[in-house]
Amino acid sequence: MHGSKIQHRFCGREFSTEEVSLIQEVVDTCAGISQNELANTVCELLEWVRPNGKLKTRECLDLLAQLEDQEILKLPDKRQVGNSTPRRYKAEVQADAPYSALTGSVEEFTPLDVERVQTQEQRDLFKDLLGRYHYLGYAMPFGARIQYLVYVTRPRREVVGCLQFSSPAWRMKSRDQWIGWDDNRRAEGLQQVVNNSRFLVLASIRNLASAMLSAVLRHLKTDWESQYGISPLLLETLVDRNRFHGGCYRSANWIELGETTGRGRMDRANRHRSDRVKTVLVYPLVKNAARRLREGR
């Protein structure tokens, strides 16, 4: 099916051989997500948007259906999708906005209570906290995702952090070189890599970030496999070097691989921007994760 990589014209746009191949890759690697989420992912990667900046999701769904009719790809079965709330949200922090005033050492507050975000109330809280306190705001990730809220239970129950895990970067030089896989293996095994795409600490408690990370990782592998039917082998994250050192990752034995190029995922102008350079860190969830990804074990 995937040996036929041809140019394709649809809705007035010419899709190159490379773009059709990328669409095939998205469909193959984003197991467990809906057709709507696939269409949003494709639109974002190919920068297929309307003049107002909104994604051409409807047109992309028709394109995906046409490619399936031509046996270029195979779509997942249709299923009910969630609401269509805005994907991006950034709010100004008000003087009276809720924010934890807890201080001290994390040992005074452990064990931490980890809640997976599943109800509407949890989703609203997660979105509000990231929108107010994360420097990037809240952005609903494309593709697969699992989100967590972390609480302390004394002196009272209070949320102290948020973590989000989502689909990995399609290509990342330092990661791909560390694994040592070729494009074919990467396309087959990429879904076993998970990206820690948001990390928010809400209290000035010593060593809280490391404790949160450790507590959440005790749940992630099982939750991801339950949700998507895929057993993740490797975690990755990108740390903004202009803002953070990434000490909580390093103290938790994450491995620094290098830096990104400072380009966007579909940057056609080959523009390097120093303010977009990120430090790449990974964390193997199993022994010999790189070899298992490389060899397809």
Side-chain angles (χ1 to χ4, degrees), residues 146 220-232:
I146 287 181
L220 176 66
K221 195 171 186 293
T222 300
D223 288 347
W224 196 272
E225 188 166 0
S226 174
Q227 178 71 23
Y228 297 109
I230 298 166
S231 181

Side-chain angles (χ1 to χ4, degrees), residues 17 23 29 46 51 119 177 186 196 219 238 246 252 256 288 291:
T17 298
I23 293 171
T29 59
L46 300 185
T119 69
Q177 287 180 342
R186 181 182 52 78
N196 176 206
H219 298 263
L238 303 177
E256 181 177 343
N288 299 322
R291 187 174 72 184

